[in-house]
Amino acid sequence: SSSVMNISEHLSCPLGFGHYNAVDICILETVVIVLLTFLIIAGNLTVIFVFHCAPLLHHYTTSYFIQTMAYADLFVGVSCLVPTLSLLHYSTGVHESLTCQVFGYIISVLKSVSMACLACISVDRYLAITKPLSYNQLVTPCRLRICISLIWIYSCLIFLPSFFGWGKPGYHGDIFEWCATSWLTNAYFTGFIVCLLYAPAAFVICFTYFHIFKICRQHTKEISDRRARFPNQEGEAAGESGHSPDRRYAMVLFRITSVFYVLWLPYIIYFLLESSRVLENPALSFLTTWLAISNSFCNCVIYSLSNSVFRLGLRRLSETFCSSC
């Protein structure tokens, strides 16, 4: 109990509403963060192992981006060990400012990589459906590797000004006291991040998926019309089966993208409101931050539930693991 009291005395508790229940609030925060950290690390390690053990998943070029997201989300889980340890063991605070800045920067960069990968995935599926004949010439493994490298470089550069005193990179729900009291958000820096990251990614995703599903509806309508005219022809069924995998895979990726923005939208809204000094609520800050970070685990769940090839690879991996045990 003395260690718990030490936590409540020295650490910033975003959900705290008074000294009376500060200990209970800090315990709740610790449980939430430790649980999310474990789920994120375990889930993304599973995705990475399945991708390495299931060659059929490499049939899609988007597997490059899915694996990149898995590695980024895994590093998010590893980074979450920092606030976990800070809640369990109080630091002297000598390097608290540097730790806070580095942690906020790393989390922001990793989530930027995930957001950019989702935008690139939508562009990849758009090209696969709109330009099926020239797709293999447009999207090559070399170009994919260059694109992923540019994503990491761009994500690292866009949040770099935060180290030079220009605002906060976007991390809220502060566990470190210095982050909560001394490192404030800046409306101009927030606008800079929104204009160069959030808004372009959202626009690209909305544009591509709108046209993807529009084309899929047109294909379905054309196939239905042809079946009505020529019910005995089997060639149309073959044509339909050619479009079905792309449509189903696009739906899987659309679900991942939708859940990403559903979980991140409250965080982005709070980020904008706090930067404009319209709203400052420690409880909302904590909840929106860790709700957004929980997306790093949700990607694993959605992909495992929606993709049959991934489920097959997961089953084979489980069988191999169980037989070795």
Side-chain angles (χ1 to χ4, degrees), residues 2 6 16 36 45 51 56-58 62 80 95 104 117 126 137 139 149 157-158 163 169 172 196 219 233 235 271:
S2 60
N6 194 35
L36 277 179
L45 278 176
F51 265 93
L56 287 175
L57 286 169
H58 297 282
T62 48
C80 288
H95 302 293
C117 282
Y126 176 77
Q137 287 74 35
V139 182
S149 300
L157 291 177
I158 194 173
F163 276 108
H172 301 282
L196 293 185
H219 288 167
Q233 288 190 2
F271 185 26

Side-chain angles (χ1 to χ4, degrees), residues 266-288:
Y267 169 82
I268 294 173
I269 292 174
Y270 183 83
F271 185 26
L272 292 171
L273 293 176
E274 187 186 82
S275 300
S276 304
R277 303 294 183 266
V278 175
L279 176 65
E280 288 189 22
N281 188 303
L284 283 177
S285 176
F286 181 85
L287 293 174
T288 55

Side-chain angles (χ1 to χ4, degrees), residues 77-309:
V78 173
S79 299
C80 288
L81 291 173
V82 175
T84 301
L85 295 175
S86 72
L87 283 170
L88 297 176
H89 302 283
Y90 174 66
S91 175
T92 58
V94 176
H95 302 293
E96 186 179 3
S97 60
L98 180 61
T99 303
C100 176
Q101 284 183 312
V102 171
F103 176 71
Y105 175 78
I106 290 175
I107 289 289
S108 299
V109 168
L110 293 174
K111 299 317 297 179
S112 172
V113 169
S114 295
M115 192 174 295
C117 282
L118 289 172
C120 291
I121 286 172
S122 67
V123 174
D124 176 84
R125 290 298 89 198
Y126 176 77
L127 293 175
I129 291 178
T130 57
K131 300 181 183 297
L133 298 179
S134 58
Y135 174 76
N136 291 331
Q137 287 74 35
L138 290 173
V139 182
T140 62
C142 180
R143 290 179 179 177
L144 287 171
R145 295 187 185 96
I146 292 174
C147 182
I148 291 172
S149 300
L150 291 176
I151 287 174
W152 282 98
I153 293 172
Y154 183 78
S155 300
C156 291
L157 291 177
I158 194 173
F159 290 101
L160 202 57
S162 63
F163 276 108
F164 300 98
W166 192 30
K168 207 173 186 178
Y171 173 70
H172 301 282
D174 303 305
I175 301 301
F176 306 102
E177 185 178 359
W178 187 87
C179 285
T181 59
S182 303
W183 199 16
L184 302 178
T185 54
N186 183 289
Y188 295 105
F189 183 70
T190 302
F192 172 77
I193 296 297
V194 169
C195 292
L196 293 185
L197 179 62
Y198 296 154
F203 173 77
V204 168
I205 288 170
C206 291
F207 175 84
T208 51
Y209 278 112
F210 172 79
H211 286 83
I212 286 171
F213 291 120
K214 182 180 178 181
I215 293 169
C216 288
R217 283 196 303 269
Q218 290 175 352
H219 288 167
T220 304
K221 186 176 182 301
E222 290 174 1
I223 291 169
S224 300
D225 293 342
R226 291 175 185 174
R227 276 186 165 182
R229 291 180 185 178
F230 311 102
N232 296 326
Q233 288 190 2
E234 298 180 358
E236 304 303 331
E240 182 181 7
S241 63
H243 293 295
S244 295
D246 283 336
R247 184 166 63 249
R248 287 196 298 268
Y249 197 61
M251 281 300 301
V252 173
L253 300 173
F254 179 72
R255 291 190 193 106
I256 293 176
T257 305
S258 300
V259 171
F260 181 92
Y261 277 95
V262 167
L263 294 177
W264 272 83
L265 189 59
Y267 169 82
I268 294 173
I269 292 174
Y270 183 83
F271 185 26
L272 292 171
L273 293 176
E274 187 186 82
S275 300
S276 304
R277 303 294 183 266
V278 175
L279 176 65
E280 288 189 22
N281 188 303
L284 283 177
S285 176
F286 181 85
L287 293 174
T288 55
T289 296
W290 292 98
L291 182 66
I293 291 177
S294 69
N295 175 257
S296 297
F297 171 69
C298 293
N299 288 341
C300 315
V301 177
I302 297 169
Y303 206 74
S304 60
L305 293 177
S306 302
N307 191 284
S308 58
V309 178

Side-chain angles (χ1 to χ4, degrees), residues 4-53:
V4 174
M5 290 298 297
N6 194 35
I7 290 173
S8 65
E9 289 174 1
H10 295 286
L11 286 178
S12 170
C13 293
L15 292 179
F17 298 100
H19 180 73
Y20 178 75
N21 61 348
V23 176
D24 294 334
I25 294 301
C26 282
I27 292 174
L28 177 62
E29 290 179 12
T30 306
V31 170
V32 170
I33 296 172
V34 169
L35 180 62
L36 277 179
T37 301
F38 172 77
L39 291 176
I40 291 170
I41 293 176
N44 286 285
L45 278 176
T46 302
V47 171
I48 292 169
F49 283 134
V50 170
F51 265 93
H52 282 290
C53 298

